Amino acid sequence: MRHLPLLPRRRATAKFRSRTVRTGLASTLLAGALCTALIPSAHAADNPYERGPAPTVASIEASRGTYAVGQATVSSLSVSGFGGGTIYYPTATADGTFGAIAISPGFTASQSTIAWLGPRLASQGFVVFTIDTNSRYDQPSSRGEQLLAALDYLTGSSAVRTRVDSTRLGVMGHSMGGGGALEAAKTRPSLQAAIPLTGWNTDKTWSEVRTPTLVVGADGDTIAPVSSHSEPFYTSLPSTLDKAYLELNGATHTTPNTSNTTIAKYSLSWLKRFIDNDTRYEQFLCPLPRPSLTIEEYRGTCPHTS
Ligand code: 9J3
Ligand code: ZN
């Protein structure tokens, strides 16, 4: 649903404008020559967490990124606190550690319903853990605890633990799993990003959340209608938080259960921007995306500040 904005949009302040530093031509040439000589890559990243090439619209919409992806099955019998799952990870070992996310399915569903996000996001440079829950009937608060248990297993015990940066973690989920992603963020403010996909929760107030959150709703959702789920979730998040609301156009409750370019490109941009601090992705989030054939509505706080 579209709503009239209640407040004027925030404008960019001087704080966020890039600074120009004057240097003499000779020193610029000298610095350039030294950099070319001493730094192996063409462009040495200022941000130690950025992974992969500079993004383009084509690269964020692509069905795969540049990293080859490995897969590891985690048996429910080998873990506690969640129901096992599948880890999708970049096989590259020359690029250091990667940020990681855990993803929960919805009520009665298994990890198969969110599996498409595993290779899609891992191939862009994240370790992705799609989980099963202890019971398919677990409620959002339980799914939140299970997402955190899965992240703890991933960083502390799993076969890929050395590939993961345990300080750069996020959560996603579908429906009650999305409700669980909000619960996890509320419980653990150190999480760097949260993305509920057509989330469902009886709790409509999330003012406690300190994690940058992208709320994704679907205009045709009759199971978790945006008017009583995603919209109040988004609105109740602090106005000072980096947050966004993406309402998919011509979509339903189960749209996040199959490959979807709009979900993928904005989720990827959000995870890159806030888990990897990768400001190369800010261009896809701010200025706010316009309504289109796939976007019913997009709201958010621009420019992003964390
Ligand atoms: O996870 C979901 O799909 C939640 C929607 C639902 O069936 O809630 C009713 C209890
Ligand atoms: Zn609306």
Side-chain angles (χ1 to χ4, degrees), residues 105-109 139 143 174-178 198-200 223-224 253:
F107 193 59
T108 75
Q139 294 297 298
R143 287 168 195 268
H174 173 240
S175 195
M176 283 195 193
T198 59
W200 187 100
I223 295 168
H253 188 62

Side-chain angles (χ1 to χ4, degrees), residues 1-3 226-227 231 245 247 296-297 299:
M1 284 173 276
R2 284 175 192 158
H3 302 282
V226 295
S227 59
E231 291 190 334
Y245 172 64
E247 187 174 314
E296 214 286 324
E297 179 185 0
R299 300 181 225 170

Side-chain angles (χ1 to χ4, degrees), residues 1-61:
M1 284 173 276
R2 284 175 192 158
H3 302 282
L4 289 170
L6 297 172
L7 295 165
R9 290 257 172 263
R10 281 199 275 155
R11 292 185 191 284
T13 59
K15 189 175 154 194
F16 302 111
R17 291 196 198 108
S18 63
R19 276 168 222 152
T20 308
V21 178
R22 272 176 221 278
T23 51
L25 179 61
S27 62
T28 304
L29 289 171
L30 178 60
L34 279 172
C35 285
T36 308
L38 299 175
I39 299 174
S41 64
H43 165 76
D46 296 326
N47 171 13
Y49 303 134
E50 72 175 47
R51 299 288 180 271
T56 62
V57 170
S59 77
I60 65 169
E61 293 184 345

